[in-house]
Amino acid sequence: MASTDVYIDEATGQDADTAQGTEQAPYKTLQYAFFQEKPNARYLIRKTADEEKDAAPNAESSLPQGYKAAAKAALKKVTNALDQHKKKAAKQDELDRKKKLEDAEREKVFEAAKNIKITEDTTLPAPVKIRLDEQDPAKITLQSADSKGTRVRVVGRVHRERKQKDLIFLTLRDGYGLMQCVLSGSLAKTYDAITLTRETAMELLGEMKELPAGAHAPLNRELQVDFFRIIGKAVGGDDAITNRVAEKGDAQTLLDNRHLLLRGEKASAVLLVRDAIESAFHQTYREHRCRKVSPPALVQTQVEGGATLFKFDYYGEQAYLTQSSQLYLETCLPSLGDVYCIEKSFRAEKSLTRRHLSEYTHIEAELDFITFDDLLTHLEAVMCRVIDLVLADPTTARLITDLNPGFAAPARPFLRMRYADAIAWLVEHEIVNDEGAPHSFGDDIAEAAERRMTDIIGRPIFLTHFPTEIKAFYMQRAADDPRVTESVDCLMPGVGEIVGGSMRMWDYAELMDAYKREGIAPEPYYWYTDQRRYGSTPHGGYGLGLERFLAWLCGLHTVREACLYPRYMGRCKP
Ligand code: 4AD
C-alpha cells in the first residue's frame, strides 16, 4: 500500500483540529502528528527557520522545500510516547469505570438508606433533657450489669465522628461538654447517619451507659442512642469545616475563618476561661465593695496621649473612641464610693506586636481616700483573688492546665521594684535600650527589655515610681522625689505589662500646670478638673488589659488569641 505523507512544520504548523497534516495545513509537532495514528504514514518535518539555515541541503529532492523524513530515533521516541499515553489512558479508563461502579453502588446504598425510616419508640421511658456536662447521680444513672441507665435527650453539634462496620460513634458538643453517642442497628444505616458530617446539629435520645472496659470517652460514659433527628446539616466535602480551618492553616486564613475556629477545642477553652475571669473580677469587686459603672465609649478627651487616638466625626464635632474610662471613673467617686468598669478601650496602635490590639477589654477601678501603698495592696489582692477564684472551679482549672500545663498561682507578695532600681538592674544585666545603649534614668523601658527583665526575674513585678516625663499628665508626683510619679505597672512573665495605674493629681493648680506642660487644652476637661474644685481627695486607680491577663494565665503566644474577634492594625473582620 502506498504511504501517505503527513506534514509537520515546526514553525507554522498547528497541533489542533484545524490542521490536517497536509502540506497546506501541517501539524506543529511530530508527537501530535503521530498520535493521530494515520495509517501507513510517512512523517515529513520542516524545522524552524533558524535550524533550517544550519541544516544540510535537502537530499530528498522530491520533497517540498525544507521538508525531510522524520529521523528513526525521533520516530522511536514518539512510538514510546504513544505507548505510554495508551497505557495511561487505559489505566484512567479503568479507574473511571471503577469509580462509576462505586458511585452507582453508593447511590444504591443511599437510595436503600433513604427507605430506612426510624421512629421513636414511645413505649420507652420519657427522656430527661440534659446538657452534656451534667453528671448529677440523682438525675442520671448509667446502665451497668445490674441497673438500667437514665433515658436522656441531648442536643448539640457533631464534634467528631467515626464510622465502623455497623456502628457510628459520634462525639456531640453543646458548649458545656462532650458526649460519646453510639448509633447502632438500623439507626446507623439511615441516609442521615451514613452521610453525617462534622458540625451537623442534631438531637439524640437514648440510654446512658457505662463504658466497656478499656474504652475511653468524655466523662467515662456513652449514650446508646435509640432515636435521633437531624436539626441542621453541615456542609461536607471540600467545604467541610476541617478544610476551612485546617489545623496547621495559615494564620490569616484562620483569622478570616475565626467564626469556625471558635468551635475548636483551644479557642473555645480560652473563651470559657475568659468568661470565668470576667465573672471572678465582678465577684472580687463586689467583695471589695466596688460599684460597677458604664462610662461612655464616644468621648472628646484623651487619656493616654494623642498618638493612639481613633478620631471620628461626631455630628460635625471632633470626637474619639475612648482610650480608658479612668477620667469618668474618677467623677463617680463622690457619689458611689470605689468604682470599677469592664468596658472596651480603643488604641490606634500602629505596630503589630503580640500584645497590642486596637480594641481591647479594659478592667479599670478607681479608689477614693487612699495612699499609693493602699493602691498596690488592693491591686495585688484583686489579682490574686481572681486567680484563686478561677482555679477553685474545677472545670476552669482543668481548662487552664490543658492550655498552660505549667501554670501555678503566683507567690505573694509580688516583687515591688522602683523604676530607678529597674534601670540599674538593666544596666547590670547588660540589657540595652532601643538605641543599643545602656539604659539611663528617663528612658521609657521598651517592650523587649521589659519582657527580658520580667522573664529573667520570673515572677510578677510591681514596677513603680516612673519619671513624670514618660507618664500620663494626670499622675501624682511622689512626695519624696518630685522627679517621679506614684505610678505602677504590673509586669508578668511571658507577657510584660498587664496593668498600668497611679495615684491621680488631686491639686487643682498642679493639674492646670500639667495640662500646660503636656500641651493639652484644659477646656474639654472642665468636668475632670471640677473634681479638684468640689472636695478633692487623694485617690488612685488602674487599668488591667483582660486579653494580656488571659494570655499570661493561658500561656497564649498573642493577645489576638484572647479575643472573640481580634481587632488590630489591618484587621477589622469578621
Ligand atoms: O497603661 P495604660 O495605657 O493605662 C491606662 O489606660 C490608664 N488610664 C488605666 C487606669 O489607670 N484606669 O493601659 C492599661 C492596661 C495596660 O497595662 C495593658 O494591659 C492594657 O491596658 N493595654 C492594652 N491591651 C491590649 N492592646 C493595647 N493596645 C493596650 N494598651 C493598653
Side-chain angles (χ1 to χ4, degrees):
M1 204 204 290
S3 65
T4 317
D5 288 342
V6 176
Y7 290 86
I8 298 141
D9 186 330
E10 293 185 351
T12 63
Q14 280 186 321
D15 285 348
D17 289 346
T18 45
Q20 284 150 16
T22 58
E23 199 184 339
Q24 292 72 30
Y27 296 124
K28 189 174 178 64
T29 64
L30 175 61
Q31 175 153 323
Y32 187 85
F34 197 75
F35 277 30
Q36 306 314 307
E37 295 190 79
K38 299 216 177 199
N40 244 344
R42 180 170 72 142
Y43 295 95
L44 304 175
I45 305 179
R46 181 152 66 187
K47 297 280 180 194
T48 55
D50 282 352
E51 279 177 316
E52 189 52 35
K53 258 194 272 152
D54 302 335
N58 200 346
E60 300 154 82
S61 52
S62 62
L63 298 181
Q65 179 55 39
Y67 278 100
K68 265 197 257 168
K72 261 200 182 132
L75 282 170
K76 193 164 173 206
K77 202 164 145 197
V78 291
T79 308
N80 285 342
L82 183 60
D83 276 358
Q84 291 292 331
H85 173 76
K86 282 186 175 163
K87 272 189 199 144
K88 226 163 136 187
K91 218 177 196 173
Q92 190 56 46
D93 282 352
E94 179 58 16
L95 284 176
D96 290 350
R97 196 185 60 81
K98 264 198 185 142
K99 184 164 180 308
K100 239 187 192 156
L101 275 179
E102 278 167 17
D103 285 352
E105 198 54 40
R106 190 171 314 120
E107 209 41 55
K108 246 180 32 219
V109 174
F110 283 172
E111 282 313 309
K114 280 180 191 163
N115 291 326
I116 300 175
K117 299 276 180 262
I118 52 169
T119 48
E120 186 181 349
D121 180 352
T122 49
T123 63
L124 292 171
V128 185
K129 175 144 197 256
I130 61 163
R131 302 263 206 209
L132 300 183
D133 62 341
E134 282 186 54
Q135 291 191 83
D136 180 1
K139 191 170 172 186
I140 309 159
T141 51
L142 303 185
Q143 185 204 92
S144 62
D146 41 37
S147 71
K148 267 198 91 53
T150 309
R151 186 161 183 262
V152 301
R153 171 174 172 258
V154 291
V155 287
R157 290 178 179 77
V158 177
H159 191 57
R160 278 188 294 268
E161 96 292 350
R162 183 161 50 91
K163 298 185 176 102
Q164 268 186 9
K165 207 167 167 291
D166 294 319
L167 292 177
I168 293 178
F169 289 90
L170 64 93
T171 306
L172 199 68
R173 183 189 76 237
D174 71 349
Y176 298 90
L178 298 171
M179 183 179 282
Q180 173 159 293
C181 306
V182 189
L183 307 185
S184 56
S186 54
L187 295 181
K189 298 192 177 82
T190 60
Y191 181 73
D192 282 340
I194 62 176
T195 59
L196 193 65
T197 46
R198 280 194 192 188
E199 293 307 318
T200 289
M202 60 194 299
E203 172 192 25
L204 302 118
L205 281 71
E207 191 177 347
M208 294 302 302
K209 277 181 68 175
E210 268 179 4
L211 277 187
H216 297 281
L219 303 178
N220 288 317
R221 61 186 189 178
E222 64 185 16
L223 181 70
Q224 183 62 54
V225 180
D226 60 51
F227 181 66
F228 74 90
R229 196 179 286 129
I230 301 289
I231 297 170
K233 254 189 185 194
V235 286
D238 288 347
D239 279 338
I241 190 160
T242 41
N243 290 331
R244 294 282 299 277
V245 285
E247 209 169 305
K248 291 210 162 51
D250 129 86
Q252 292 306 320
T253 309
L254 292 180
L255 279 164
D256 287 343
N257 287 302
R258 188 147 173 89
H259 58 297
L260 298 176
L261 192 75
L262 292 176
R263 299 176 181 213
E265 278 165 37
K266 180 170 185 192
S268 57
V270 171
L271 292 180
L272 290 172
V273 176
R274 185 179 160 121
D275 172 51
I277 291 174
E278 278 196 49
S279 154
F281 269 106
H282 286 302
Q283 178 177 335
T284 304
Y285 282 127
R286 291 277 141 214
E287 290 168 3
H288 282 261
R289 301 204 63 206
C290 294
R291 273 69 181 269
K292 183 177 177 300
V293 292
S294 291
L298 313 182
V299 301
Q300 292 192 308
T301 44
Q302 53 151 294
V303 191
E304 300 298 330
T308 59
L309 279 175
F310 273 115
K311 302 183 179 126
F312 68 98
D313 177 80
Y314 187 78
Y315 305 105
E317 285 183 42
Q318 169 98 293
Y320 316 114
L321 296 181
T322 188
Q323 291 175 310
S324 157
S325 297
Q326 174 201 323
L327 308 191
Y328 291 96
L329 290 184
E330 288 185 50
T331 69
C332 299
L333 297 177
S335 47
L336 300 174
D338 298 342
V339 285
Y340 79 101
C341 67
I342 301 185
E343 299 286 341
K344 290 297 178 77
S345 280
F346 303 88
R347 306 278 171 105
E349 303 280 0
K350 291 174 194 74
S351 58
L352 297 167
T353 77
R354 54 194 174 107
R355 67 180 198 185
H356 284 99
L357 294 162
S358 303
E359 174 187 310
Y360 70 96
T361 300
H362 208 168
I363 301 182
E364 294 180 274
E366 201 64 29
L367 313 174
D368 208 1
F369 299 101
I370 55 161
T371 63
F372 185 46
D373 199 55
D374 293 337
L375 178 66
L376 299 184
T377 304
H378 159 95
L379 181 53
E380 185 176 305
V382 166
M383 290 173 71
C384 292
R385 176 71 176 142
V386 165
I387 296 162
D388 288 347
L389 280 173
V390 293
L391 291 179
D393 174 51
T395 310
T396 316
R398 190 176 40 76
L399 291 171
I400 294 171
T401 318
D402 287 349
L403 289 162
N404 191 7
F407 184 79
R412 295 177 67 172
F414 291 179
L415 179 67
R416 296 185 184 190
M417 191 183 209
R418 281 186 169 237
Y419 164 88
D421 296 330
I423 293 292
W425 189 98
L426 289 167
V427 171
E428 195 184 310
H429 287 77
E430 296 176 358
I431 297 172
V432 291
N433 66 18
D434 270 357
E435 277 84 54
H439 279 90
S440 62
F441 190 91
D443 279 356
D444 201 353
I445 302 172
E447 188 173 329
E450 178 191 280
R451 199 194 292 266
R452 275 197 69 198
M453 180 175 85
T454 318
D455 289 351
I456 292 172
I457 293 176
R459 51 185 282 212
I461 308 169
F462 278 158
L463 196 55
T464 65
H465 299 93
F466 289 86
T468 313
E469 291 69 31
I470 61 168
K471 283 291 179 187
F473 70 93
Y474 53 73
M475 292 191 180
Q476 176 72 29
R477 284 175 198 272
D480 61 350
D481 183 355
R483 293 179 310 157
V484 299
T485 50
E486 287 187 318
S487 51
V488 58
D489 278 1
C490 177
L491 312 180
M492 287 298 190
V495 182
E497 181 204 325
I498 65 166
V499 181
S502 77
M503 294 299 286
R504 320 306 189 189
M505 208 169 257
W506 59 292
D507 178 73
Y508 174 81
E510 233 181 288
L511 182 63
M512 297 310 284
D513 281 350
Y515 290 139
K516 201 182 273 171
R517 186 190 75 223
E518 297 292 327
I520 296 171
E523 294 76 19
Y525 293 82
Y526 71 92
W527 51 276
Y528 183 67
T529 314
D530 264 353
Q531 305 307 311
R532 279 79 187 156
R533 298 175 65 223
Y534 292 84
S536 199
T537 56
H539 65 284
Y542 56 88
L544 174 147
L546 176 58
E547 290 78 9
R548 291 193 188 175
F549 188 76
L550 199 60
W552 166 70
L553 193 70
C554 297
L556 307 177
H557 175 68
T558 153
V559 287
R560 293 176 193 174
E561 289 181 70
C563 313
L564 191 61
Y565 290 102
R567 297 290 182 254
Y568 57 89
M569 189 171 69
R571 177 164 293 277
C572 201
K573 66 171 186 191

Coordinates of all heavy atoms in Angstrom, one line a residue, residues 209 477 532:
K209 N -24.9 4.9 79.4 CA -24.3 3.6 79.7 C -22.9 3.8 80.3 O -22.2 4.8 79.9 CB -24.1 2.8 78.4 CG -25.3 2.0 78.0 CD -25.0 1.3 76.7 CE -24.0 0.1 76.9 NZ -23.8 -0.7 75.7
R477 N 2.7 63.3 91.6 CA 4.2 63.2 91.9 C 4.4 62.6 93.3 O 3.6 62.8 94.2 CB 4.8 64.6 91.9 CG 5.0 65.1 90.5 CD 5.5 66.5 90.6 NE 5.3 67.3 89.3 CZ 6.2 67.3 88.3 NH1 7.3 66.6 88.4 NH2 6.0 67.9 87.2
R532 N -11.4 68.6 91.2 CA -10.4 69.2 92.1 C -10.9 70.4 92.7 O -10.3 71.1 93.5 CB -9.1 69.5 91.3 CG -8.2 68.3 91.0 CD -8.7 67.5 89.9 NE -7.9 66.2 89.8 CZ -8.4 65.1 89.3 NH1 -9.6 65.1 88.8 NH2 -7.6 64.1 89.2

